[in-house]
Amino acid sequence: MRKKSRLFALAEVLRGRRTGITAAELADRFGVTLRTIYRDIEALQDAGMPIRADRGRGGGYALDKSYQLPPVNFTAREAALLIALTRLATEHRLMPFPKAIETATDKVRAALSTSAQRELLTLVGELQLVGVPARAVPLTVQTAVETAWFESRALRIVYTKTGGHTSPRLVRIRNLVFDRSETLLNCIDLETGNDRQFRLDRIQHAQVMDSQPS
């Protein structure tokens, strides 16, 4: 990668995060030496980019917190790939977060010019990503899981067991697992303290709790 392209890419990495990233991480990402990264950071600072260096654990290079980022500009190609991947995520059981994905793709489209939006429609129509279709899950359940996961809130569910019997559970989601056959929720049962795993498509009903019960 030429220096000009690397400087632009380095600036984009720093724009995309407000937490520190070390020189070693940057050197590994761009396949250059630490000395090169130090020179690149200095060049960006000389060009007026307010990059600070935080020392200690969790430190690294980051943009000054007072720096106001300009609006994000996507090309039609970049937007088409993002939208196609989000479509794959929602249609092929990769991510049960319909609301967040929908609003995110709306923002991507809104960042494009009129001509780029026209090009986007063509590109998205020609992109076909094939995967394993998602199992049917009620939108209300997906929305509740999304809220509980992002906000670390308790979730009351009605779960269908293998034999067809239903069981009410009060859980908190630890993490999510996506494989070829199903979406799994690894949870802690708040009533027993045990770790449990649930298939998303077997949850008949889900309600986000306002607070964790005592």
Side-chain angles (χ1 to χ4, degrees), residues 56-78:
R57 186 175 181 180
Y61 289 108
L63 288 176
D64 189 273
K65 294 180 180 179
S66 63
Y67 181 59
Q68 297 297 316
L69 295 176
V72 175
N73 293 314
F74 293 105
T75 66
R77 295 178 184 180
E78 293 168 340

Side-chain angles (χ1 to χ4, degrees), residues 150-178:
F150 279 119
E151 298 180 8
S152 298
R153 292 165 63 183
L155 187 68
R156 188 175 294 281
I157 65 174
V158 176
Y159 189 73
T160 303
K161 298 181 179 180
T162 303
H165 301 290
T166 59
S167 174
R169 300 283 180 178
L170 185 62
V171 303
R172 187 179 300 277
I173 302 172
R174 287 188 183 275
N175 53 61
L176 304 176
V177 177
F178 311 105

Side-chain angles (χ1 to χ4, degrees), residues 42-63:
E42 185 176 356
L44 291 174
Q45 290 173 326
D46 290 342
M49 199 167 191
I51 302 171
R52 69 176 195 275
D54 296 329
R55 298 184 180 276
R57 186 175 181 180
Y61 289 108
L63 288 176

